[in-house]
Amino acid sequence: DPFHEGSTVQHWQLPFLGLREFPAELTPFEIQYFFTFTSQERAAIASRYGHSHRLAAALHIGFLKMTGRTLDAFDTIPPPVLQHVRTHLGLPTPDLTSLRALYRRGQTLLDHQTWAAHLLGFHAFTDRRQRVLVMHLRREAAKAVTLPRLVEFARRWLYEKRILLPADRRLRDLARTAYADAERAMDDLVHRHILQP
């Protein structure tokens, strides 16, 4: 399973990091990469009660592998993903469904999100983890990278550390602050050198 072989993000994976819902199109390779499960994951999926919850559990695991975020969008699940999960797990899945249709209770959805994160070793984005990220962002910003590159760095860093990605706005705010701090530090450095006798 490529997900467990190493935590380095492949270049082609970057556009998926931080997505809140399924992308409009996924290639067969991408579907297979994220929604093919290890024996441990298959056993965990099989432990869920009922076909719809097993399907939902599989979708949560695959989506988290793909994006670094928990699946909570109620949009329709792409049919090719459903077809792959059906074949791979031998589950009787509908041709068309949404996350909303798979759950009667909102609490079960939350339970499955937590369960999938725990299974894959993802941790919450706590204040302490945010401080560590900001420290790395400042260091990266000092290399004069652009703001979009800094946000991309944050997404990659969080994913590789198995920390759940927060909302995009929050990451952009952190990157913007780190960028401003780095610029200020550079200005201070320049002024000190100019003003020195």
Side-chain angles (χ1 to χ4, degrees), residues 12-157:
W12 60 267
Q13 287 180 260
L14 287 172
F16 298 117
L17 296 187
L19 289 182
R20 293 197 56 206
E21 53 200 37
F22 278 92
E25 287 185 13
L26 282 166
T27 67
F29 168 78
E30 289 160 355
I31 292 170
Q32 187 169 346
Y33 187 90
F34 297 117
F35 294 90
T36 296
F37 307 105
T38 63
S39 53
Q40 180 202 358
E41 290 163 358
R42 288 170 70 114
I45 291 164
S47 74
R48 301 291 95 186
Y49 180 73
H51 293 312
S52 65
H53 281 182
R54 284 177 191 148
L55 170 59
L59 295 171
H60 280 295
I61 293 169
F63 190 82
L64 186 50
K65 284 183 188 180
M66 182 169 67
T67 67
R69 292 190 69 168
T70 53
L71 175 60
D72 54 15
F74 288 124
D75 300 347
T76 303
I77 310 296
V81 172
L82 292 172
Q83 288 158 15
H84 174 77
V85 171
R86 178 192 305 146
T87 307
H88 178 54
L89 295 178
L91 277 176
T93 63
D95 291 328
L96 207 61
T97 192
S98 67
L99 206 59
R100 190 190 304 278
L102 297 175
Y103 289 106
R104 287 202 184 91
R105 294 173 59 244
Q107 186 58 46
T108 311
L109 167 63
L110 294 174
D111 290 347
H112 276 187
Q113 289 172 338
T114 305
W115 170 86
H118 179 73
L119 182 72
L120 295 177
F122 275 87
H123 307 283
F125 186 52
T126 59
D127 289 344
R128 186 179 66 80
R129 291 183 178 119
Q130 177 174 300
R131 285 195 294 274
V132 177
L133 170 62
V134 168
M135 184 181 72
H136 285 281
L137 282 172
R138 283 189 185 128
R139 202 173 294 154
E140 195 68 14
K143 299 175 187 174
V145 295
T146 63
L147 194 60
R149 287 282 300 279
L150 211 50
V151 174
E152 185 183 284
F153 170 86
R155 289 192 193 117
R156 185 197 290 260
W157 186 88

